[in-house]
Amino acid sequence: MMEINHSKIKETNRKKIITLLLEKNEITKLDISRKLDISITTVSTNITELKDEGIVEEVGSLESTGGRKAIAIKLNENCRYSIGVALTPNHIKISLVNLKKNIIENIRVRHKNDGIENIIVLANENIGIIMNKYSISSEKLLGVGISLQGTVDFKTGIVKYCYLLGIKDFNLKEKFEHLNVPIYVDNEANLSAYYEFLNRKDILNNLLYISITDGLGLGIIINGKIYRGDNNSSGEMGHMKIAINGKKCKCGAKGCLEAYTSMNSLIDNYNEVSSCNILDIDEFEEKYIQKDEVAQKILDKYLKTLSLGISNLIMILDPNSVIIGGDINSLLKDKIEVVKKNIYKDNLFTDENSCNISIASFKESYLLGAAMMPIEEFLEIK
Ligand SMILES: [Zn+2]
């Protein structure tokens, strides 16, 4: 028992020191000892170990708060890396970040969505290319986080259902285990929520992230943790029913919110009413900017339905912060006031002052969230 406690304390001290070094550019051992309230002997032992592992390095001398010159310690930010992978219906996106969470490289590869096995081969190939390019061994890789738009059992890495990639009860994690690093598979909206939260964690505990892409997902952060539900199926906001016998949804059911509020629903609606054939959201945005009447009408209706969905959500969870993101950000960024007006009109239970609704600050935050997962797990004090 004693030994377990001892190794736990040792691990905790080590993580505390790395976390402090991540915040500071350069710091002396004495200052580490003071800031963390750990004995100087323990700090020295840890620093020696971290130096041997290539995680920290000594840099020149620095005036310590004790007044004497002392050797400064710096984190070698490229000592460890993490890889985020996003599998979307058209692309494989890969992001390489270093321990300091700086993005080293982003790549995007188009795929034909012709079967998950082909997508996996392509993803593994490109992970290999990026690891070779930066000479990253599995010892230097903290892990791979994988994002997709579907229901995922986070613990096992099994995708329960992802109709956009055509998979059901599929063990995605095992397809990447040959890399010999921790693999994390999670839902795209969860990872987006997580990334937004990590960037605001000094001011927020709870956050809701609505991700509008080919589908509509919801990431829920409660007390700083992703809330996944008892069966990993939380946040299926897109499949809340808003109409009896309503529009057919891609999931097979009728009247789902997603059928009215996904990015594709805007494009399909536009094509239906105007008899045009626009292909993507950028083209829709262009029409809207050119004051195309059909585009304007369709967006107005879209915002009303989206606001209804968000309003229902606020009624249930009473959050302080709702963030709208996904691939639709640029179209919605000037529309946030309209959404707020729709939500707070006739609302006796909450108002703008108690719940802030905003547009996401980061693009592709699901990819960055996926890349952050191995780093946060590496640093987390359990
Ligand atoms: Zn549905």
Side-chain angles (χ1 to χ4, degrees), residues 238-239 241 249-253 256 258:
H239 306 285
K241 306 291 175 286
C249 174
K250 274 190 192 161
C251 76
C256 298
E258 180 175 303

Side-chain angles (χ1 to χ4, degrees), residues 167-360:
I167 48 180
K168 211 174 169 185
D169 296 322
F170 184 87
N171 193 330
L172 189 64
K173 187 176 168 175
E174 70 176 15
K175 303 286 181 185
F176 293 86
E177 274 175 341
H178 65 93
L179 293 165
N180 283 324
V181 295
I183 308 291
Y184 307 92
V185 186
D186 211 336
N187 167 274
E188 175 227 272
N190 282 351
L191 290 167
S192 291
Y194 184 60
Y195 190 70
E196 290 280 346
F197 170 74
L198 289 177
N199 283 282
R200 298 171 198 216
K201 67 177 178 189
D202 296 337
I203 49 168
L204 288 176
N205 268 330
N206 307 319
L207 175 151
L208 298 179
Y209 185 102
I210 298 166
S211 174
I212 307 173
T213 53
D214 304 284
L216 184 128
L218 169 70
I220 305 169
I221 304 283
I222 296 179
N223 292 329
K225 299 266 179 220
I226 298 173
Y227 176 77
R228 296 190 168 87
D230 287 338
N231 305 294
N232 297 295
S233 299
S234 73
E236 288 300 339
M237 181 189 179
H239 306 285
M240 294 192 319
K241 306 291 175 286
I242 58 161
I244 295 170
N245 271 329
K247 246 174 118 172
K248 184 126 197 228
C249 174
K250 274 190 192 161
C251 76
K254 279 181 178 176
C256 298
L257 180 65
E258 180 175 303
Y260 301 84
T261 54
S262 72
M263 214 166 56
N264 293 342
S265 75
L266 265 178
I267 300 163
D268 294 347
N269 269 353
Y270 183 83
N271 287 341
E272 216 176 282
V273 179
S274 69
S275 317
C276 287
N277 190 25
I278 60 165
L279 296 172
D280 58 30
I281 198 70
D282 296 335
E283 279 185 63
F284 180 88
E285 196 174 344
E286 219 167 274
K287 297 275 183 198
Y288 182 79
I289 291 167
Q290 288 161 1
K291 300 211 180 313
D292 178 298
E293 240 176 75
V294 177
Q296 290 191 325
K297 260 193 195 149
I298 282 171
L299 188 65
D300 271 357
K301 184 139 187 246
Y302 173 90
L303 291 174
K304 278 191 184 129
T305 316
L306 178 67
S307 306
L308 176 96
I310 299 174
S311 178
N312 287 344
L313 193 65
I314 293 173
M315 291 295 182
I316 298 170
L317 287 166
D318 179 28
N320 281 335
S321 182
V322 176
I323 298 171
I324 305 171
D327 299 330
I328 204 166
N329 283 20
S330 125
L331 180 66
L332 292 191
K333 68 178 186 294
D334 302 327
K335 295 283 155 230
I336 198 74
E337 288 310 316
V338 180
V339 173
K340 282 185 193 167
K341 219 173 120 195
N342 289 343
I343 291 173
Y344 293 120
K345 125 183 128 153
D346 305 330
N347 187 329
L348 294 174
F349 306 95
T350 185
D351 59 44
E352 266 189 80
N353 299 321
S354 51
C355 175
N356 180 46
I357 297 164
S358 60
I359 294 289

Side-chain angles (χ1 to χ4, degrees), residues 60-272:
S61 55
L62 201 72
E63 196 85 23
S64 88
T65 41
R68 308 184 276 128
K69 293 265 184 190
I71 299 288
I73 309 296
K74 184 177 171 286
L75 187 97
N76 175 6
E77 59 184 52
N78 290 326
C79 64
R80 295 290 183 277
Y81 294 89
S82 171
I83 289 179
V85 178
L87 305 180
T88 76
N90 299 314
H91 292 98
I92 296 165
K93 301 173 186 178
I94 302 179
S95 191
L96 175 73
V97 300
N98 66 16
L99 187 54
K100 225 170 178 179
K101 301 181 180 175
N102 295 324
I103 300 167
I104 308 296
E105 185 154 344
N106 268 330
I107 56 174
R108 168 190 285 251
V109 185
R110 217 181 152 83
H111 64 74
K112 296 184 216 125
N113 206 354
D114 55 353
I116 189 68
E117 296 294 346
N118 291 342
I119 296 172
I120 289 164
V121 168
L122 202 56
N124 269 312
E125 236 172 64
N126 282 281
I127 291 173
I129 291 171
I130 220 167
M131 284 175 74
N132 270 337
K133 184 172 171 187
Y134 292 93
S135 310
I136 302 169
S137 59
S138 54
E139 287 75 36
K140 277 187 149 193
L141 187 63
L142 294 175
V144 177
I146 305 170
S147 153
L148 50 79
Q149 292 157 279
T151 315
V152 180
D153 182 338
F154 179 74
K155 283 201 186 93
T156 59
I158 293 175
V159 180
K160 286 165 69 185
Y161 188 38
C162 171
Y163 56 86
L164 293 167
L165 296 175
I167 48 180
K168 211 174 169 185
D169 296 322
F170 184 87
N171 193 330
L172 189 64
K173 187 176 168 175
E174 70 176 15
K175 303 286 181 185
F176 293 86
E177 274 175 341
H178 65 93
L179 293 165
N180 283 324
V181 295
I183 308 291
Y184 307 92
V185 186
D186 211 336
N187 167 274
E188 175 227 272
N190 282 351
L191 290 167
S192 291
Y194 184 60
Y195 190 70
E196 290 280 346
F197 170 74
L198 289 177
N199 283 282
R200 298 171 198 216
K201 67 177 178 189
D202 296 337
I203 49 168
L204 288 176
N205 268 330
N206 307 319
L207 175 151
L208 298 179
Y209 185 102
I210 298 166
S211 174
I212 307 173
T213 53
D214 304 284
L216 184 128
L218 169 70
I220 305 169
I221 304 283
I222 296 179
N223 292 329
K225 299 266 179 220
I226 298 173
Y227 176 77
R228 296 190 168 87
D230 287 338
N231 305 294
N232 297 295
S233 299
S234 73
E236 288 300 339
M237 181 189 179
H239 306 285
M240 294 192 319
K241 306 291 175 286
I242 58 161
I244 295 170
N245 271 329
K247 246 174 118 172
K248 184 126 197 228
C249 174
K250 274 190 192 161
C251 76
K254 279 181 178 176
C256 298
L257 180 65
E258 180 175 303
Y260 301 84
T261 54
S262 72
M263 214 166 56
N264 293 342
S265 75
L266 265 178
I267 300 163
D268 294 347
N269 269 353
Y270 183 83
N271 287 341
E272 216 176 282

